[in-house]
Short mmCIF file of all heavy atoms in Angstrom, two decimals:
data_model
loop_
_atom_site.label_atom_id
_atom_site.label_comp_id
_atom_site.label_asym_id
_atom_site.label_seq_id
_atom_site.Cartn_x
_atom_site.Cartn_y
_atom_site.Cartn_z
N LEU A 1 -20.55 16.40 15.46
CA LEU A 1 -19.39 15.85 14.78
C LEU A 1 -19.77 15.14 13.49
O LEU A 1 -19.09 15.25 12.47
CB LEU A 1 -18.62 14.91 15.70
CG LEU A 1 -17.93 15.57 16.89
CD1 LEU A 1 -17.34 14.51 17.81
CD2 LEU A 1 -16.88 16.55 16.42
N ARG A 2 -20.87 14.39 13.53
CA ARG A 2 -21.32 13.67 12.33
C ARG A 2 -21.67 14.64 11.20
O ARG A 2 -21.30 14.44 10.05
CB ARG A 2 -22.52 12.79 12.66
CG ARG A 2 -22.95 11.93 11.51
CD ARG A 2 -24.11 11.03 11.90
NE ARG A 2 -24.24 9.91 11.03
CZ ARG A 2 -24.70 9.98 9.78
NH1 ARG A 2 -25.05 11.12 9.27
NH2 ARG A 2 -24.78 8.90 9.04
N HIS A 3 -22.37 15.71 11.54
CA HIS A 3 -22.76 16.66 10.51
C HIS A 3 -21.58 17.51 10.02
O HIS A 3 -21.55 17.91 8.86
CB HIS A 3 -23.92 17.54 10.98
CG HIS A 3 -25.23 16.83 10.85
ND1 HIS A 3 -25.96 16.85 9.69
CD2 HIS A 3 -25.90 16.04 11.70
CE1 HIS A 3 -27.04 16.10 9.85
NE2 HIS A 3 -27.03 15.60 11.05
N LYS A 4 -20.62 17.75 10.87
CA LYS A 4 -19.40 18.44 10.44
C LYS A 4 -18.64 17.55 9.44
O LYS A 4 -18.19 18.02 8.39
CB LYS A 4 -18.52 18.76 11.65
CG LYS A 4 -17.17 19.33 11.33
CD LYS A 4 -17.26 20.70 10.71
CE LYS A 4 -15.86 21.27 10.50
NZ LYS A 4 -15.86 22.49 9.75
N LEU A 5 -18.52 16.26 9.76
CA LEU A 5 -17.86 15.32 8.85
C LEU A 5 -18.63 15.22 7.53
O LEU A 5 -18.04 15.19 6.45
CB LEU A 5 -17.72 13.95 9.49
CG LEU A 5 -17.09 12.86 8.65
CD1 LEU A 5 -15.67 13.24 8.25
CD2 LEU A 5 -17.09 11.54 9.39
N LEU A 6 -19.94 15.17 7.61
CA LEU A 6 -20.77 15.10 6.40
C LEU A 6 -20.57 16.33 5.53
O LEU A 6 -20.46 16.22 4.30
CB LEU A 6 -22.24 14.95 6.80
CG LEU A 6 -23.21 14.45 5.76
CD1 LEU A 6 -22.75 13.13 5.18
CD2 LEU A 6 -24.59 14.32 6.35
N LYS A 7 -20.49 17.50 6.14
CA LYS A 7 -20.25 18.73 5.38
C LYS A 7 -18.87 18.69 4.72
O LYS A 7 -18.72 19.08 3.56
CB LYS A 7 -20.37 19.95 6.28
CG LYS A 7 -20.21 21.26 5.53
CD LYS A 7 -20.39 22.44 6.43
CE LYS A 7 -20.29 23.77 5.73
NZ LYS A 7 -19.50 23.88 4.56
N MET A 8 -17.87 18.22 5.46
CA MET A 8 -16.53 18.09 4.88
C MET A 8 -16.54 17.12 3.71
O MET A 8 -15.87 17.34 2.70
CB MET A 8 -15.54 17.63 5.95
CG MET A 8 -15.23 18.67 7.00
SD MET A 8 -14.29 18.02 8.39
CE MET A 8 -12.72 17.64 7.61
N MET A 9 -17.31 16.04 3.83
CA MET A 9 -17.40 15.06 2.75
C MET A 9 -18.07 15.67 1.51
O MET A 9 -17.63 15.43 0.39
CB MET A 9 -18.17 13.83 3.22
CG MET A 9 -17.41 12.95 4.19
SD MET A 9 -18.41 11.61 4.85
CE MET A 9 -18.77 10.66 3.37
N TYR A 10 -19.14 16.45 1.71
CA TYR A 10 -19.80 17.09 0.57
C TYR A 10 -18.88 18.10 -0.10
O TYR A 10 -18.82 18.18 -1.32
CB TYR A 10 -21.09 17.78 1.00
CG TYR A 10 -22.26 16.84 1.10
CD1 TYR A 10 -22.90 16.64 2.31
CD2 TYR A 10 -22.72 16.13 0.00
CE1 TYR A 10 -23.97 15.77 2.41
CE2 TYR A 10 -23.79 15.26 0.08
CZ TYR A 10 -24.41 15.10 1.30
OH TYR A 10 -25.46 14.23 1.40
N ASP A 11 -18.16 18.87 0.71
CA ASP A 11 -17.26 19.88 0.15
C ASP A 11 -16.14 19.26 -0.66
O ASP A 11 -15.69 19.83 -1.65
CB ASP A 11 -16.68 20.75 1.27
CG ASP A 11 -17.73 21.64 1.91
OD1 ASP A 11 -18.82 21.81 1.32
OD2 ASP A 11 -17.46 22.17 3.02
N SER A 12 -15.65 18.09 -0.23
CA SER A 12 -14.55 17.44 -0.94
C SER A 12 -15.02 16.37 -1.93
O SER A 12 -14.21 15.64 -2.47
CB SER A 12 -13.60 16.81 0.08
OG SER A 12 -14.26 15.78 0.78
N LYS A 13 -16.32 16.28 -2.14
CA LYS A 13 -16.92 15.33 -3.11
C LYS A 13 -16.74 13.86 -2.71
O LYS A 13 -16.90 12.98 -3.53
CB LYS A 13 -16.36 15.55 -4.52
CG LYS A 13 -16.43 16.97 -5.04
CD LYS A 13 -17.82 17.36 -5.42
CE LYS A 13 -17.86 18.67 -6.14
NZ LYS A 13 -18.10 19.83 -5.33
N LEU A 14 -16.40 13.61 -1.45
CA LEU A 14 -16.27 12.21 -0.99
C LEU A 14 -17.64 11.56 -0.79
O LEU A 14 -17.73 10.34 -0.77
CB LEU A 14 -15.49 12.16 0.32
CG LEU A 14 -13.98 12.24 0.22
CD1 LEU A 14 -13.36 12.33 1.60
CD2 LEU A 14 -13.42 11.07 -0.55
N SER A 15 -18.68 12.36 -0.63
CA SER A 15 -20.00 11.80 -0.38
C SER A 15 -20.54 11.03 -1.57
O SER A 15 -21.45 10.22 -1.43
CB SER A 15 -20.98 12.91 0.00
OG SER A 15 -21.05 13.86 -1.04
N LYS A 16 -19.97 11.25 -2.75
CA LYS A 16 -20.40 10.49 -3.93
C LYS A 16 -19.87 9.06 -3.87
O LYS A 16 -20.45 8.16 -4.46
CB LYS A 16 -19.91 11.17 -5.20
CG LYS A 16 -20.56 12.51 -5.44
CD LYS A 16 -20.02 13.16 -6.68
CE LYS A 16 -20.70 14.51 -6.88
NZ LYS A 16 -20.17 15.23 -8.03
N LYS A 17 -18.76 8.87 -3.15
CA LYS A 17 -18.09 7.58 -3.11
C LYS A 17 -18.31 6.82 -1.80
O LYS A 17 -18.31 5.59 -1.79
CB LYS A 17 -16.59 7.83 -3.29
CG LYS A 17 -15.89 6.88 -4.17
CD LYS A 17 -14.47 7.31 -4.40
CE LYS A 17 -13.71 6.20 -5.04
NZ LYS A 17 -12.32 6.50 -5.21
N TYR A 18 -18.47 7.55 -0.70
CA TYR A 18 -18.54 6.93 0.63
C TYR A 18 -19.73 7.45 1.41
O TYR A 18 -20.10 8.61 1.29
CB TYR A 18 -17.27 7.26 1.45
CG TYR A 18 -15.98 6.76 0.87
CD1 TYR A 18 -15.15 7.61 0.14
CD2 TYR A 18 -15.57 5.45 1.06
CE1 TYR A 18 -13.95 7.16 -0.38
CE2 TYR A 18 -14.37 5.00 0.53
CZ TYR A 18 -13.58 5.86 -0.18
OH TYR A 18 -12.39 5.41 -0.70
N SER A 19 -20.28 6.59 2.25
CA SER A 19 -21.20 7.05 3.28
C SER A 19 -20.36 7.39 4.50
O SER A 19 -19.17 7.05 4.57
CB SER A 19 -22.20 5.95 3.62
OG SER A 19 -21.54 4.86 4.22
N VAL A 20 -20.95 8.04 5.49
CA VAL A 20 -20.20 8.38 6.71
C VAL A 20 -19.72 7.10 7.39
O VAL A 20 -18.56 7.02 7.82
CB VAL A 20 -21.07 9.21 7.67
CG1 VAL A 20 -20.36 9.43 8.99
CG2 VAL A 20 -21.44 10.54 7.05
N GLU A 21 -20.56 6.10 7.44
CA GLU A 21 -20.21 4.84 8.10
C GLU A 21 -19.06 4.14 7.37
O GLU A 21 -18.13 3.64 7.99
CB GLU A 21 -21.43 3.92 8.20
CG GLU A 21 -22.50 4.40 9.15
CD GLU A 21 -23.35 5.53 8.62
OE1 GLU A 21 -23.36 5.76 7.38
OE2 GLU A 21 -24.00 6.21 9.43
N LYS A 22 -19.14 4.11 6.04
CA LYS A 22 -18.09 3.45 5.26
C LYS A 22 -16.77 4.20 5.40
O LYS A 22 -15.71 3.58 5.51
CB LYS A 22 -18.51 3.37 3.79
CG LYS A 22 -17.60 2.55 2.93
CD LYS A 22 -18.15 2.41 1.52
CE LYS A 22 -17.21 1.63 0.65
NZ LYS A 22 -17.69 1.52 -0.72
N LEU A 23 -16.84 5.53 5.40
CA LEU A 23 -15.63 6.33 5.56
C LEU A 23 -14.99 6.09 6.94
O LEU A 23 -13.79 5.90 7.05
CB LEU A 23 -15.96 7.81 5.39
CG LEU A 23 -14.78 8.76 5.46
CD1 LEU A 23 -14.78 9.67 4.25
CD2 LEU A 23 -14.84 9.58 6.71
N MET A 24 -15.80 6.07 7.97
CA MET A 24 -15.29 5.85 9.33
C MET A 24 -14.71 4.44 9.47
O MET A 24 -13.69 4.25 10.13
CB MET A 24 -16.39 6.07 10.37
CG MET A 24 -16.85 7.51 10.46
SD MET A 24 -15.54 8.63 10.93
CE MET A 24 -15.28 8.16 12.60
N LEU A 25 -15.34 3.47 8.85
CA LEU A 25 -14.84 2.10 8.89
C LEU A 25 -13.47 2.01 8.22
O LEU A 25 -12.55 1.37 8.74
CB LEU A 25 -15.81 1.14 8.22
CG LEU A 25 -15.41 -0.32 8.18
CD1 LEU A 25 -15.35 -0.88 9.60
CD2 LEU A 25 -16.37 -1.13 7.34
N GLU A 26 -13.32 2.69 7.09
CA GLU A 26 -12.05 2.67 6.37
C GLU A 26 -10.96 3.35 7.18
O GLU A 26 -9.84 2.85 7.29
CB GLU A 26 -12.22 3.37 5.01
CG GLU A 26 -11.07 3.17 4.07
CD GLU A 26 -10.87 1.72 3.66
OE1 GLU A 26 -11.85 1.02 3.38
OE2 GLU A 26 -9.70 1.30 3.62
N LEU A 27 -11.27 4.48 7.80
CA LEU A 27 -10.26 5.20 8.58
C LEU A 27 -9.96 4.52 9.92
O LEU A 27 -8.88 4.71 10.48
CB LEU A 27 -10.70 6.64 8.83
CG LEU A 27 -10.71 7.55 7.60
CD1 LEU A 27 -11.19 8.94 7.98
CD2 LEU A 27 -9.35 7.61 6.94
N SER A 28 -10.90 3.72 10.41
CA SER A 28 -10.66 3.05 11.70
C SER A 28 -9.61 1.95 11.60
O SER A 28 -9.12 1.47 12.61
CB SER A 28 -11.97 2.47 12.24
OG SER A 28 -12.39 1.38 11.45
N LYS A 29 -9.25 1.58 10.39
CA LYS A 29 -8.24 0.53 10.20
C LYS A 29 -6.82 1.05 10.39
O LYS A 29 -5.88 0.27 10.49
CB LYS A 29 -8.39 -0.08 8.81
CG LYS A 29 -9.72 -0.77 8.59
CD LYS A 29 -9.87 -1.19 7.14
CE LYS A 29 -11.26 -1.72 6.87
NZ LYS A 29 -11.46 -1.99 5.43
N ILE A 30 -6.66 2.37 10.43
CA ILE A 30 -5.33 2.96 10.62
C ILE A 30 -4.99 2.87 12.10
O ILE A 30 -5.80 3.19 12.97
CB ILE A 30 -5.30 4.43 10.17
CG1 ILE A 30 -5.69 4.55 8.70
CG2 ILE A 30 -3.92 5.03 10.40
CD1 ILE A 30 -5.86 5.97 8.23
N ARG A 31 -3.78 2.42 12.39
CA ARG A 31 -3.34 2.26 13.78
C ARG A 31 -2.02 2.99 14.00
O ARG A 31 -1.18 3.06 13.12
CB ARG A 31 -3.12 0.79 14.12
CG ARG A 31 -4.36 -0.06 13.98
CD ARG A 31 -5.24 0.13 15.19
NE ARG A 31 -6.35 -0.78 15.13
CZ ARG A 31 -7.59 -0.42 15.33
NH1 ARG A 31 -7.88 0.81 15.59
NH2 ARG A 31 -8.55 -1.30 15.28
N LYS A 32 -1.86 3.53 15.19
CA LYS A 32 -0.59 4.08 15.63
C LYS A 32 -0.15 3.27 16.83
O LYS A 32 -0.86 3.17 17.83
CB LYS A 32 -0.73 5.56 16.00
CG LYS A 32 0.61 6.20 16.35
CD LYS A 32 0.48 7.67 16.62
CE LYS A 32 0.52 8.41 15.31
NZ LYS A 32 0.58 9.87 15.47
N ILE A 33 1.03 2.70 16.73
CA ILE A 33 1.53 1.79 17.75
C ILE A 33 2.72 2.44 18.45
O ILE A 33 3.59 3.01 17.80
CB ILE A 33 1.94 0.44 17.12
CG1 ILE A 33 0.75 -0.16 16.37
CG2 ILE A 33 2.48 -0.51 18.15
CD1 ILE A 33 1.11 -1.23 15.38
N VAL A 34 2.74 2.34 19.76
CA VAL A 34 3.87 2.85 20.53
C VAL A 34 4.76 1.66 20.88
O VAL A 34 4.34 0.71 21.54
CB VAL A 34 3.40 3.56 21.83
CG1 VAL A 34 4.59 4.08 22.61
CG2 VAL A 34 2.43 4.67 21.49
N LEU A 35 5.99 1.71 20.41
CA LEU A 35 6.94 0.64 20.66
C LEU A 35 7.49 0.73 22.08
O LEU A 35 7.28 1.73 22.77
CB LEU A 35 8.08 0.70 19.63
CG LEU A 35 7.65 0.59 18.16
CD1 LEU A 35 8.85 0.78 17.25
CD2 LEU A 35 6.97 -0.73 17.90
N ALA A 36 8.21 -0.32 22.50
CA ALA A 36 8.75 -0.37 23.86
C ALA A 36 9.72 0.78 24.13
O ALA A 36 9.81 1.28 25.25
CB ALA A 36 9.44 -1.71 24.10
N ASN A 37 10.42 1.24 23.10
CA ASN A 37 11.37 2.34 23.29
C ASN A 37 10.70 3.72 23.24
O ASN A 37 11.36 4.73 23.30
CB ASN A 37 12.50 2.27 22.25
CG ASN A 37 11.99 2.41 20.83
OD1 ASN A 37 10.81 2.62 20.59
ND2 ASN A 37 12.91 2.28 19.88
N GLY A 38 9.36 3.75 23.11
CA GLY A 38 8.62 5.01 23.11
C GLY A 38 8.38 5.59 21.72
O GLY A 38 7.66 6.58 21.59
N LYS A 39 8.93 5.00 20.69
CA LYS A 39 8.76 5.49 19.33
C LYS A 39 7.36 5.12 18.82
O LYS A 39 6.89 4.02 19.03
CB LYS A 39 9.83 4.90 18.42
CG LYS A 39 9.79 5.42 17.01
CD LYS A 39 10.90 4.82 16.17
CE LYS A 39 10.78 5.32 14.75
NZ LYS A 39 11.78 4.70 13.87
N GLU A 40 6.72 6.08 18.15
CA GLU A 40 5.38 5.85 17.60
C GLU A 40 5.49 5.49 16.12
O GLU A 40 6.18 6.16 15.36
CB GLU A 40 4.52 7.10 17.76
CG GLU A 40 4.23 7.45 19.20
CD GLU A 40 3.41 8.71 19.33
OE1 GLU A 40 3.08 9.34 18.30
OE2 GLU A 40 3.08 9.06 20.45
N VAL A 41 4.80 4.43 15.73
CA VAL A 41 4.80 3.97 14.35
C VAL A 41 3.36 3.87 13.87
O VAL A 41 2.52 3.25 14.54
CB VAL A 41 5.50 2.58 14.23
CG1 VAL A 41 5.46 2.09 12.80
CG2 VAL A 41 6.90 2.63 14.76
N THR A 42 3.07 4.48 12.73
CA THR A 42 1.73 4.40 12.15
C THR A 42 1.69 3.23 11.19
O THR A 42 2.62 3.01 10.41
CB THR A 42 1.40 5.71 11.39
OG1 THR A 42 1.53 6.80 12.29
CG2 THR A 42 -0.02 5.69 10.86
N SER A 43 0.59 2.47 11.24
CA SER A 43 0.45 1.33 10.32
C SER A 43 0.42 1.84 8.88
O SER A 43 0.21 3.02 8.62
CB SER A 43 -0.82 0.55 10.64
OG SER A 43 -1.96 1.37 10.41
N GLU A 44 0.62 0.93 7.96
CA GLU A 44 0.64 1.31 6.55
C GLU A 44 -0.72 1.88 6.15
O GLU A 44 -1.77 1.32 6.47
CB GLU A 44 0.98 0.09 5.69
CG GLU A 44 1.14 0.42 4.23
CD GLU A 44 1.55 -0.79 3.41
OE1 GLU A 44 1.94 -1.80 3.99
OE2 GLU A 44 1.46 -0.70 2.19
N ILE A 45 -0.69 2.98 5.43
CA ILE A 45 -1.92 3.64 4.99
C ILE A 45 -2.20 3.23 3.56
O ILE A 45 -1.35 3.39 2.67
CB ILE A 45 -1.78 5.17 5.12
CG1 ILE A 45 -1.60 5.53 6.59
CG2 ILE A 45 -2.99 5.88 4.54
CD1 ILE A 45 -1.35 6.99 6.85
N THR A 46 -3.39 2.70 3.33
CA THR A 46 -3.76 2.22 1.99
C THR A 46 -4.07 3.40 1.07
O THR A 46 -4.18 4.54 1.50
CB THR A 46 -4.99 1.30 2.07
OG1 THR A 46 -6.10 2.07 2.51
CG2 THR A 46 -4.75 0.12 3.00
N LYS A 47 -4.26 3.07 -0.20
CA LYS A 47 -4.56 4.10 -1.19
C LYS A 47 -5.90 4.78 -0.89
O LYS A 47 -6.02 6.00 -0.99
CB LYS A 47 -4.58 3.47 -2.59
CG LYS A 47 -4.77 4.45 -3.71
CD LYS A 47 -4.72 3.76 -5.06
CE LYS A 47 -4.95 4.75 -6.18
NZ LYS A 47 -4.94 4.11 -7.50
#
């Protein structure tokens, strides 16, 4: 999985800006919350 992500990063030129760890840390901040009524809400996604 790590090497697949790394290949995707190289193909999309993200490897110039992010390391795998930094990219995963940034994406780990996104949350999906299930409300009491069953509706799913995704937290605000940053730029």
Side-chain angles (χ1 to χ4, degrees):
L1 292 174
R2 185 178 200 287
H3 280 273
K4 174 67 176 172
L5 178 60
L6 198 55
K7 184 178 182 332
M8 290 170 67
M9 288 174 64
Y10 278 118
D11 291 345
S12 64
K13 307 286 190 266
L14 280 174
S15 59
K16 293 178 180 177
K17 221 174 168 184
Y18 299 99
S19 66
V20 174
E21 291 76 17
K22 188 174 178 182
L23 183 129
M24 293 300 290
L25 180 65
E26 192 64 42
L27 290 179
S28 70
K29 297 173 187 173
I30 301 173
R31 300 281 186 228
K32 185 176 276 188
I33 303 163
V34 180
L35 301 176
N37 62 3
K39 183 178 178 184
E40 295 179 358
V41 178
T42 304
S43 64
E44 185 177 347
I45 296 176
T46 65
K47 185 177 179 182

